[in-house]
Amino acid sequence: QVQLVESGGGLVQAGGSLRLSCAASARTVSTYAMGWFRQAPGKEREFVSAINWSGTMYADSVKGRFTISRDYVKNTVYLQMNSLKPEDTAVYYCSMGAVGGNLAGRYAYWGQGTQVTVSS
């Protein structure tokens, strides 16, 4: 059973930056697709970014501000978030799946989430 553990969330002012990390319990980061999703209070979970063997993809709302990357040695995926806005406030979830993409149903494993709060 793969376990995903997110870290790096916190409180930041608008315009600031945070880097989220997602550590996988098995050596799967290099062979599986990894995704980041977020869920704000009262809203459905939404796609943020993903990375697989063919490249990266981003939601339009974060394109140009967020960058996804992975470290094969550390078996960790990162989400660098710059120019943060109050509307980025949400719980951010790391996920892992065989195919990936922007649909949550394509990911079989999920982390527990990390809170990101952006103040105005």
Side-chain angles (χ1 to χ4, degrees):
Q1 181 76 8
V2 175
Q3 290 187 332
L4 303 175
V5 180
E6 303 102 330
S7 61
L11 173 64
V12 64
Q13 289 188 335
S17 298
L18 284 174
R19 188 177 78 158
L20 304 183
S21 299
C22 173
S25 60
R27 291 198 173 275
T28 54
V29 169
S30 61
T31 57
Y32 282 79
M34 304 295 296
W36 286 97
F37 289 75
R38 66 187 182 187
Q39 187 167 17
K43 296 186 177 181
E44 293 188 355
R45 189 169 299 190
E46 66 173 1
F47 170 75
V48 176
S49 181
I51 186 168
N52 63 10
W53 53 90
S54 65
T56 59
M57 59 187 306
Y58 298 91
D60 288 343
S61 60
V62 306
K63 202 170 294 184
R65 299 188 298 122
F66 291 10
T67 302
I68 190 171
S69 62
R70 54 186 169 183
D71 186 322
Y72 299 136
V73 174
K74 295 183 178 180
N75 212 35
T76 299
V77 175
Y78 302 99
L79 185 68
Q80 178 67 43
M81 306 186 295
N82 298 328
S83 302
L84 283 162
K85 304 175 182 180
E87 51 263 44
D88 294 318
T89 296
V91 176
Y92 283 70
Y93 297 91
C94 174
S95 57
M96 176 183 290
V99 177
N102 60 355
L103 298 178
R106 292 182 176 177
Y107 293 87
Y109 302 100
W110 293 82
Q112 82 288 351
T114 184
Q115 176 70 46
V116 171
T117 302
V118 185
S119 63
S120 58

